[in-house]
Amino acid sequence: MTCLEAQSKIIAYIDYKLEKEEKTEFLKHIKCCENCHDELNIYYTMIEGMRQLDSNLPLSKDFSEELENRMAYELKASKKKREIFQSSVFLVIAAVVGFGIFGYVNFLRILKEDEQKKLKEAQGEYYYSDTFDSILFGKDEETLGLNLDVSTEEPGLTFYEKVREYEMLN
């Protein structure tokens, strides 16, 4: 904000007619620019003094202090609102990221369970039968130390039936 813009908004500031963004920019400029600050102080003293006289109120002892207190309060309030807004935005973003991560992990878990289920269905009993029949029930059971009676084995038994039969024999 330029000095000319700030000086044109002094009366509006004193009368509480500035919008939030305008007021914040105005106060930032007033804090940095001593000429505009002095001009605001003069106008504030004149206008507030006239209002107090017109209302038959006792005159304030220090208009400058009142103005400084008002400016400090309004800057602090503006800063608080901005901080609350930023905190809220941060919390919303953190919540969205958290739910996104939770959803992604849950999706991966469901996907893994589905893949495991499909693998089990595809393998079935015969996967183990094809792989381990020759070792468990084959011709070299004596070299493995197994005491299976091959003659008792019925043709066409499934892998699990063969395992159950073996367990019953031992």
Side-chain angles (χ1 to χ4, degrees):
M1 179 175 284
T2 64
C3 290
L4 187 59
E5 291 172 331
Q7 290 170 2
S8 70
K9 295 179 182 193
I10 288 176
I11 303 295
Y13 173 74
I14 293 171
D15 292 336
Y16 297 94
K17 293 183 181 177
L18 288 180
E19 298 293 322
K20 291 177 185 177
E21 291 91 28
E22 280 183 313
K23 183 171 36 176
T24 303
E25 291 298 316
F26 174 78
L27 291 173
K28 285 179 182 178
H29 178 81
I30 294 296
K31 285 287 185 185
C32 297
C33 181
E34 193 167 325
N35 290 333
C36 292
H37 187 275
D38 290 342
E39 191 160 337
L40 172 63
N41 198 4
I42 292 168
Y43 275 98
Y44 183 82
T45 303
M46 282 187 346
I47 292 172
E48 283 301 311
M50 296 293 272
R51 284 184 186 155
Q52 289 176 7
L53 286 173
D54 288 343
S55 301
N56 290 327
L57 296 173
L59 282 177
S60 177
K61 293 185 182 347
D62 193 359
F63 288 105
S64 296
E65 185 178 333
E66 284 179 12
L67 177 62
E68 291 300 320
N69 290 341
R70 177 181 166 187
M71 289 176 18
Y73 174 78
E74 289 175 345
L75 278 173
K76 188 176 180 181
S78 171
K79 187 177 180 182
K80 258 188 195 176
K81 288 177 185 176
R82 187 174 44 245
E83 288 173 352
I84 289 172
F85 176 76
Q86 289 172 346
S87 298
S88 300
V89 168
F90 175 75
L91 287 175
V92 167
I93 290 172
V96 167
V97 168
F99 282 120
I101 290 172
F102 175 75
Y104 180 71
V105 168
N106 197 32
F107 172 74
L108 289 179
R109 182 187 57 78
I110 291 170
L111 189 63
K112 181 180 177 187
E113 288 174 359
D114 188 49
E115 288 295 321
Q116 292 296 321
K117 182 179 175 185
K118 286 180 183 176
L119 281 173
K120 283 183 181 179
E121 288 173 359
Q123 292 171 350
E125 290 184 10
Y126 298 106
Y127 171 77
Y128 297 107
S129 176
D130 292 345
T131 306
F132 298 112
D133 263 358
S134 63
I135 296 171
L136 292 174
F137 308 108
K139 296 176 182 160
D140 56 344
E141 64 243 357
E142 308 204 356
T143 58
L144 293 172
L146 299 174
N147 295 326
L148 272 181
D149 186 10
V150 179
S151 62
T152 63
E153 239 182 79
E154 297 176 19
L157 291 176
T158 66
F159 174 73
Y160 290 113
E161 290 170 341
K162 291 178 185 177
V163 169
R164 284 187 202 105
E165 187 177 313
Y166 172 74
E167 288 294 324
M168 284 193 274
L169 290 177
N170 288 327

